[in-house]
Amino acid sequence: MLIKRLGQNFQEEALRKYFARIERGKRLPGLILIGLGSLLLVTLMSTIDATGINLSWSNWLGLLLIILGIVQIAGVEILYFIRTREAQPKPPDSQVQQWLDEGTRSVILHSRFALNLAEEESSISDPLVIITPRLNTAGRSDQDWTLWKLGDDGQLRFGYYKMIVIRLTERHLGAYVCDYDFVRDVALNEATHELHYCDIVSVFTQEQSDPYNLPTGKKLRTQQEFVLSVASGETIRVSVDTAQIRQITGVEAPPELGAESAVAQIRSALRGYKALSAAA
């Protein structure tokens, strides 16, 4: 069912159409009614031929069952047609990707203000961005968590993402974490972390894989995770359950976490900090 939220703008309405998955209702009850009605008529016709008795009320019952079955199936098809029309026109993949890029850029820009960084501090290096889809069909009241679509361009897109924006300065690491509701274009559940380089204990990525390869020859990842921990025990962690995404979407190779580059740059910054500390 296409959600129409009060106050939604054109972009949100278009994205809800883009992600809408219209399914036909069940026609089995109608088919059963038609089958029972037809069986009753055939049985009564043979009885009339054998006995000559006219069981008119039973004839009407058979016809009524058939009519009810036809009405049920027609109702399912009409509702499917209406919902399909409501979900049109769908925006092209290129437009949706543009909106996604603009939305994530806005979150990245907002992270500097959320972390209270001066422009000079935040411009020392490009922000490191880790973005991963959030897809959950159970236990969530927010239906944006269930939205996904494989576009005609072969790209898998989601209605909800987890984002970490890491900004490296000369003195510390600032991390901004949020859930990004792409459909509503809003950052939720925001959190900020200020970590001094001397306190960072480890930063790494890890993955779990099934012990066999995909037909394409690639590894079959089941989970990927990015972890950054400090001496106090505080941890910044984000993971993507690729096995769940693969099961729900049927896509052989879901999006990867893409945190390897961030880990490499953070380690480089840590080495530079330790070198300066040793020289001092």
Side-chain angles (χ1 to χ4, degrees), residues 84-108:
T84 301
R85 286 288 300 272
E86 286 180 346
Q88 298 295 331
K90 294 181 182 293
D93 294 322
S94 57
Q95 178 64 75
V96 175
Q97 187 61 47
Q98 179 182 333
W99 284 333
L100 179 59
D101 293 340
E102 291 173 351
T104 54
R105 279 198 298 268
S106 295
V107 173
I108 294 169

Side-chain angles (χ1 to χ4, degrees), residues 226-244:
F226 166 84
V227 182
L228 189 154
S229 58
V230 296
S232 64
E234 183 180 4
T235 301
I236 299 175
R237 183 188 304 266
V238 62
S239 63
V240 53
D241 190 339
T242 53
Q244 180 202 43

Side-chain angles (χ1 to χ4, degrees), residues 40-41 44 55-65 67:
L40 183 59
L41 285 179
L44 290 175
L55 302 177
S56 58
W57 66 271
S58 299
N59 291 337
W60 284 110
L61 177 59
L63 289 172
L64 179 61
L65 291 176
I67 292 172

Side-chain angles (χ1 to χ4, degrees), residues 17-262:
K17 291 180 179 180
Y18 178 80
F19 285 112
R21 304 179 65 83
I22 312 300
E23 297 181 357
R24 275 191 171 88
K26 296 181 179 179
R27 295 181 292 178
L28 183 59
L31 294 173
I32 292 175
L33 289 174
I34 293 174
L36 290 175
S38 301
L39 181 61
L40 183 59
L41 285 179
V42 171
T43 303
L44 290 175
M45 290 298 295
S46 62
T47 302
I48 292 172
D49 291 340
T51 64
I53 300 175
N54 185 7
L55 302 177
S56 58
W57 66 271
S58 299
N59 291 337
W60 284 110
L61 177 59
L63 289 172
L64 179 61
L65 291 176
I66 292 174
I67 292 172
L68 290 176
I70 294 174
V71 170
Q72 193 274 336
I73 293 175
V76 167
E77 294 301 318
I78 291 172
L79 184 59
Y80 175 76
F81 175 77
I82 292 174
R83 289 179 175 176
T84 301
R85 286 288 300 272
E86 286 180 346
Q88 298 295 331
K90 294 181 182 293
D93 294 322
S94 57
Q95 178 64 75
V96 175
Q97 187 61 47
Q98 179 182 333
W99 284 333
L100 179 59
D101 293 340
E102 291 173 351
T104 54
R105 279 198 298 268
S106 295
V107 173
I108 294 169
L109 178 63
H110 170 69
S111 68
R112 179 171 75 85
F113 302 99
L115 292 166
N116 294 316
L117 292 177
E119 186 174 355
E120 295 77 13
E121 288 181 301
S122 64
S123 62
I124 291 176
S125 67
D126 292 334
L128 311 178
V129 182
I130 301 170
I131 179 169
T132 179
R134 303 294 298 272
L135 186 60
N136 194 341
T137 58
R140 298 292 307 185
S141 58
D142 189 344
Q143 294 192 30
D144 290 352
W145 275 63
T146 69
L147 301 180
W148 64 272
K149 180 175 180 174
L150 180 63
D152 295 333
D153 58 357
Q155 296 296 316
L156 194 58
R157 298 180 178 88
F158 300 83
Y160 223 90
Y161 292 89
K162 182 80 171 182
M163 288 187 65
I164 296 182
V165 183
I166 296 174
R167 292 181 176 271
L168 305 176
T169 73
E170 293 180 347
R171 57 187 178 85
H172 78 296
L173 176 153
Y176 169 81
V177 184
C178 74
D179 290 326
Y180 176 56
D181 188 333
F182 172 40
V183 176
R184 299 183 184 183
D185 190 25
V186 60
L188 305 170
N189 306 319
E190 298 174 283
T192 57
H193 306 264
E194 182 176 304
L195 309 176
H196 294 279
Y197 290 133
C198 60
D199 296 328
I200 296 177
V201 175
S202 63
V203 56
F204 61 91
T205 61
Q206 61 184 9
E207 67 176 43
Q208 296 178 3
S209 304
D210 282 346
Y212 58 89
N213 291 337
L214 294 167
T216 57
K218 296 181 180 179
K219 291 184 294 185
L220 186 64
R221 293 186 175 94
T222 58
Q223 187 172 16
Q224 297 173 273
E225 191 171 42
F226 166 84
V227 182
L228 189 154
S229 58
V230 296
S232 64
E234 183 180 4
T235 301
I236 299 175
R237 183 188 304 266
V238 62
S239 63
V240 53
D241 190 339
T242 53
Q244 180 202 43
I245 294 175
R246 185 180 296 112
Q247 180 181 8
I248 294 174
T249 65
V251 176
E252 183 182 90
E256 298 185 3
L257 188 59
E260 290 80 5
S261 176

